[in-house]
Amino acid sequence: MMSFLGIRNITICINKMDLVNYSEKVFEDIKSDYLAFLSEINIIPQNVIPISAREGDNMVALSTNMPWYKGFSILQALDAFSKQAVPYEQPFRFPVQDIYKFTAAGDERRIVAGRVETGMISVGDEVVFLPSNKKNRIKSIEGFNTAAATMAFAGQSTGFCLATQIYIRPGEIMCKTAEQSPHVSTRFKANIFWMG
C-alpha cells in the first residue's frame, strides 16, 4: 500500500528485542530479510530501528541495552522525516475562478478573482497565465470591503487587477514568471488505487 500511495518517509521498527536478549544477530537477520523484500517493491526505509516498546528501548533515546545500535531512536527518526513545504512557501498558483467587470460610476476595473492555492504574490510581480501563456503584471490586489493590500498568500480568496488588459478565461492558472512553472499538458499519467 505504501508503494501505491507514494509514501516515502518510512522507518522500520523491529519490536520485542527484549524477548531475544537484545541480540544484534537476531536484529540483523530480520533487518536483512525485510530490506530484501522491500527492495522488490521499490521501498527504501530511512531507518531500521531495534526496539522494545514495552520497555521503552530506543523509543525516545538510545537504549543502554543495545549498545551495538548507533542509529536514531523512533522520536529522532520521526523528527528527521522530510516535510512538504507549507502552502505559502510553495510556488504561486492561482486558478482563475472568474473575471469581474465593473462599469458603474466610470469604474473600468477588470478583476481576476479566485483563491490563492499556494505561494505568495505582491503588487508589481510579473505573472503568466497557463495554458494561454499570456504574461502581465499585478497592478493591484482587490478585496470586498477590505483595506488596500500589497500582498496575497495561500488560502486567501481575492482578486487582482492587471497592468494591461488581456483576454483570459476561467480555469486558467496564474503563476509567477520568476518561479518554476507547472507542466502544461493535455494528458496525465496516474496510478489508481481502488479500495473496495
Side-chain angles (χ1 to χ4, degrees), residues 46-123:
Q46 293 163 315
N47 307 283
V48 180
I49 304 173
I51 66 168
S52 171
R54 190 182 74 164
E55 303 300 325
D57 292 303
N58 290 336
M59 300 291 287
V60 176
L62 293 183
S63 171
T64 56
N65 291 321
M66 292 175 272
W68 44 266
Y69 176 71
K70 306 295 185 192
F72 285 165
S73 68
I74 290 179
L75 189 59
Q76 291 169 322
L78 292 174
D79 284 341
F81 280 163
S82 59
K83 296 157 187 74
Q84 183 179 20
V86 292
Y88 64 84
E89 291 179 345
Q90 296 176 33
F92 178 75
R93 301 291 184 262
F94 181 84
V96 176
Q97 175 186 337
D98 208 344
I99 295 95
Y100 300 126
K101 175 85 167 82
F102 298 95
T103 55
D107 189 348
E108 292 297 321
R109 291 178 298 162
R110 294 176 79 88
I111 299 176
V112 180
R115 181 177 187 269
V116 180
E117 294 300 324
T118 56
M120 301 170 68
I121 196 159
S122 301
V123 171

Side-chain angles (χ1 to χ4, degrees), residues 14 37 39 48 60 78-79 90 106 128 133 136 150 153 175 195:
I14 299 175
F37 166 70
S39 68
V48 180
V60 176
L78 292 174
D79 284 341
Q90 296 176 33
V128 60
N133 210 32
N136 215 311
T150 59
F153 49 87
C175 307
M195 299 179 73

Side-chain angles (χ1 to χ4, degrees), residues 121-126 137-141 149-152 160:
I121 196 159
S122 301
V123 171
D125 285 346
E126 188 176 88
R137 190 170 297 279
I138 300 295
K139 180 180 178 183
S140 65
I141 298 173
T150 59
M151 179 180 289
F160 301 97

Side-chain angles (χ1 to χ4, degrees), residues 19 22-23 30 37 44 65 67 84-85 95 119 125 141 153 159 178 181 186:
L19 298 182
Y22 301 102
S23 166
I30 295 171
F37 166 70
I44 302 168
N65 291 321
Q84 183 179 20
D125 285 346
I141 298 173
F153 49 87
S181 290
T186 55

